[in-house]
Amino acid sequence: MATNYKYNRLSKDDAAVLLVDHQAGLLSLVQDFSPDEFRNNILALADAAKYFRLPTILTTSFENGPNGPLMPELKAMFSDAPFIPRPGQINAWDNEDFVKAVKATGRKQLLIAGVVTDVCVAFPALSAVEAGYEVFAVTDASGTFNEAVRHAAWARMESAGVQLMNWFGVCCELHRDWRNDVEGLATIFANHLPAYKNLMTSYQAKK
């Protein structure tokens, strides 16, 4: 590691969440996670975005075609968020309305998740890095055809400066200190991690 490295932490005051192409048709392509596990990871990230009050942008690609509609849970959770149904652009960053929505957040840290990892996540992530943003790919809320494709996509993004995180790490880095709100953060963890629910049951029993 370079001696001039600076650990620039995720900040709930400077981060925004981009949920790219979590669409019914595309979800069927994801093979590097089980369907239930992947859905859980997506909704965990969504819950974190709501909990930390992060600006969130939803976008779909060619949803009138085989890619299909956005996950209904995301539409319901972010009914007031910008929603950009792209008519054809594969790279979300090629859509002017999407980029305008990102700029309108005023945030410089972008958490990106989507389907598939090697296209719908990697392309806008690389474009955002080029545009001067600090980009974090949320790996477990993004999926693709298989692990070989996933790792190739991760390597490509990392080489450009994209940081790889999972939703649990995102939550912890944003929260900073348990004393900020034990119950709130633990509720997210318990709702999406069965083992953590057991932990919280034990914690509550001792109170």
Side-chain angles (χ1 to χ4, degrees):
M1 183 179 292
T3 56
N4 62 349
Y5 174 78
K6 182 179 183 299
Y7 174 24
N8 192 29
R9 304 182 191 193
L10 276 172
S11 168
K12 61 185 179 182
D13 298 318
D14 199 29
V17 176
L18 312 183
L19 299 178
V20 184
D21 302 352
H22 290 101
Q23 297 168 246
L26 295 176
L27 287 170
S28 66
L29 301 176
V30 174
Q31 300 295 316
D32 53 339
F33 295 99
S34 71
D36 288 344
E37 180 184 16
F38 190 49
R39 177 183 175 278
N40 177 70
N41 293 341
I42 296 165
L43 295 180
L45 177 62
D47 279 344
K50 297 287 284 188
Y51 174 72
F52 291 107
R53 299 180 181 177
L54 304 181
T56 300
I57 298 169
L58 310 175
T59 186
T60 56
S61 172
F62 198 42
E63 66 175 44
N64 292 328
N67 292 350
L70 184 71
M71 286 176 61
E73 298 95 329
L74 295 180
K75 271 197 171 180
M77 289 179 70
F78 300 101
S79 58
D80 296 328
F83 171 57
I84 316 297
R86 308 191 312 280
Q89 298 95 340
I90 293 174
N91 181 350
W93 209 264
D94 289 341
N95 182 280
E96 184 178 346
D97 291 334
F98 180 78
V99 175
K100 283 181 179 178
V102 173
K103 290 180 178 178
T105 67
R107 307 297 179 96
K108 294 300 289 183
Q109 295 181 327
L110 302 180
L111 290 154
I112 304 180
V115 183
V116 288
T117 307
D118 40 312
V119 175
C120 306
V121 178
F123 292 1
L126 297 172
S127 298
V129 169
E130 183 182 25
Y133 290 88
E134 188 175 13
V135 180
F136 304 80
V138 187
T139 57
D140 53 354
S142 305
T144 190
F145 306 107
N146 55 55
E147 290 191 4
V149 173
R150 175 173 74 185
H151 286 288
W154 288 355
R156 186 184 188 197
M157 287 189 282
E158 276 194 303
S159 69
V162 176
Q163 298 182 53
L164 306 183
M165 297 187 72
N166 66 343
W167 70 261
F168 186 87
V170 166
C171 287
C172 291
E173 191 157 293
L174 288 168
H175 201 62
R176 297 280 199 276
D177 190 318
W178 272 112
R179 292 167 295 183
N180 290 330
D181 178 15
V182 174
E183 301 294 339
L185 186 64
T187 296
I188 295 176
F189 292 168
N191 285 344
H192 295 283
L193 296 170
Y196 213 95
K197 188 169 186 177
N198 294 337
L199 184 153
M200 287 307 297
T201 299
S202 174
Y203 168 73
Q204 295 289 353
K206 293 179 180 179
K207 291 178 67 176

